Amino acid sequence: MTILQIRSELNLHTRCENQVENEIDRGPARAGDEELCKDYVKDYPRASHRPTRPSRKYNCHGLTFSSRRTWIWKPTEIAKILKDDEYEQIDLKDVLPGDVVVYSTSGDAEHSGIVIEAGFVPMILSKWGPAHEVVHRVNDCPYDSMFITYYRIKT
Amino acid sequence: MTNPIAVDLTQAAKTYAIANTPYFLVRKLQADQSVRAITDTYSGPEILDALRLAVAKEPSSASEAVRPYALLTALWFKPDMTHLREASQISAPAWSWFSHIASVLIETFSPVQRQLIEVPAQLSSPYVSIGSTIPVKRIIIAP
């Protein structure tokens, strides 16, 4: 039987076989995490808060770019993924379900998600840090939506 | 042992609960009034002592989890970076972002000279910029 460490890094490669720095934290949720999540449910009543418990196993970037397997926290790694995996920037008018959105502040990708419904204000599936997964309008979340960019992966 | 710095970190903990990246957390902590309160109320050595105590055991609550990051950020607001540099050397294995956040704070540290002067009641007190990375030296000319 494999014994896993509480925290470790997964082998996660881009299409160009470059390792993406990541950290999975398998520890349980801390006391108070659930309560803080409930606060966000109250603060964002129009969003759909999925019944996933708080977890540090993956974050928004982990959901968007690594199938919910791990936590990616360095903006340089997001830039690496976008480049190596050949994501192309697209205009809002061309956005379709399945595209991804990246929220940036001062050039750092601080949030991301997957578009699940297109439109003038697209609907996004994401995870809010260690909190739960949320389906929210692109501008209805605790992250700065001033600088958002939509991408589609090239196939 | 209770941490000697008694500041309500509820908002900081709430921010930490949704932080995807250390940069987001730092930006929010720099705007958090409770962090400014720590800077204004406690000396550098006091904050440093509280930081050592805060990382001595694994966090058991959201407030304990964010406390070291809040204390680091409080040191960033101090006029010299001696204690921030010292803090960056502390080992905090349970806090994955500790070294990284310490490095970011040191890189973005802006030496600010603060001068307390007696001013007539009609003059407002000087505003000290916290967001710029450019060294700031303010010369206050009092009548």
Side-chain angles (χ1 to χ4, degrees):
Chain A
M1 189 177 115
T2 307
I3 297 174
L4 299 169
Q5 293 177 316
I6 292 288
R7 282 192 289 269
S8 64
E9 181 171 21
L10 301 186
N11 288 325
L12 176 64
H13 289 172
T14 65
R15 284 180 178 177
C16 296
E17 300 188 8
N18 288 315
Q19 170 68 8
V20 176
E21 277 186 53
N22 68 90
E23 184 185 68
I24 177 170
D25 183 341
R26 301 179 178 86
R30 296 190 186 105
D33 280 355
E34 298 266 12
E35 293 308 309
L36 291 169
C37 288
K38 284 178 189 163
D39 280 354
Y40 280 104
V41 172
K42 275 190 223 154
D43 292 348
Y44 292 90
R46 290 184 305 164
S48 175
H49 298 265
R50 286 172 50 77
T52 54
R53 300 189 63 196
S55 158
R56 287 179 168 74
K57 293 184 180 80
Y58 65 98
N59 64 346
C60 64
H61 298 319
L63 182 150
T64 307
F65 297 110
S66 76
S67 303
R68 294 182 169 100
R69 288 201 179 92
T70 191
W71 187 296
I72 304 168
W73 57 267
K74 281 191 176 174
T76 51
E77 300 309 290
I78 304 306
K80 184 195 289 180
I81 292 168
L82 292 172
K83 179 174 176 285
D84 282 9
D85 290 358
E86 296 181 276
Y87 277 90
E88 290 180 325
Q89 198 172 320
I90 50 171
D91 294 334
L92 173 62
K93 64 179 173 51
D94 300 320
V95 167
L96 293 171
D99 293 332
V100 305
V101 60
V102 176
Y103 298 63
S104 303
T105 301
S106 306
D108 296 331
E110 67 178 30
H111 185 51
S112 64
I114 300 169
V115 175
I116 60 166
E117 188 185 304
F120 185 65
V121 187
M123 194 71 95
I124 308 299
L125 164 65
S126 190
K127 183 171 183 287
W128 292 356
H132 51 283
E133 289 184 13
V134 185
V135 175
H136 60 89
R137 291 283 174 200
V138 74
N139 56 355
D140 185 31
C141 64
Y143 306 96
D144 191 345
S145 52
M146 281 288 286
F147 300 100
I148 55 177
T149 313
Y150 297 96
Y151 294 94
R152 182 174 301 155
I153 198 162
K154 204 168 154 186
T155 53
Chain B
M1 188 179 166
T2 309
N3 199 289
I5 290 188
V7 171
D8 181 7
L9 292 174
T10 305
Q11 186 53 46
K14 197 172 170 184
T15 298
Y16 189 45
I18 53 147
N20 291 300
T21 71
Y23 307 94
F24 173 82
L25 181 60
V26 166
R27 275 192 289 274
K28 294 291 183 182
L29 290 177
Q30 285 170 335
D32 191 314
Q33 289 305 310
S34 62
V35 173
R36 288 310 301 263
I38 295 171
T39 307
D40 294 341
T41 311
Y42 299 94
S43 68
E46 285 174 324
I47 298 171
L48 203 50
D49 285 347
L51 181 54
R52 289 198 180 95
L53 196 62
V55 299
K57 66 177 183 69
E58 292 260 343
S60 60
S61 69
S63 286
E64 284 182 18
V66 79
R67 180 174 289 270
Y69 301 131
L71 295 172
L72 268 179
T73 310
L75 287 173
W76 181 80
F77 283 114
K78 289 290 183 188
D80 76 85
M81 69 191 302
T82 313
H83 297 107
L84 179 58
R85 276 200 190 284
E86 208 173 322
S88 72
Q89 303 303 312
I90 293 173
S91 170
W95 282 264
S96 304
W97 294 347
F98 189 87
S99 299
H100 196 80
I101 284 182
S103 299
V104 167
L105 290 172
I106 287 171
E107 281 169 22
T108 58
F109 182 81
S110 171
V112 175
Q113 188 178 74
R114 297 174 78 168
Q115 185 182 1
L116 291 176
I117 57 167
E118 294 285 333
V119 294
Q122 67 267 28
L123 292 179
S124 58
S125 55
Y127 174 76
V128 179
S129 169
I130 57 167
S132 171
T133 55
I134 300 168
V136 176
K137 185 170 185 177
R138 291 180 183 278
I139 299 170
I140 301 162
I141 302 169

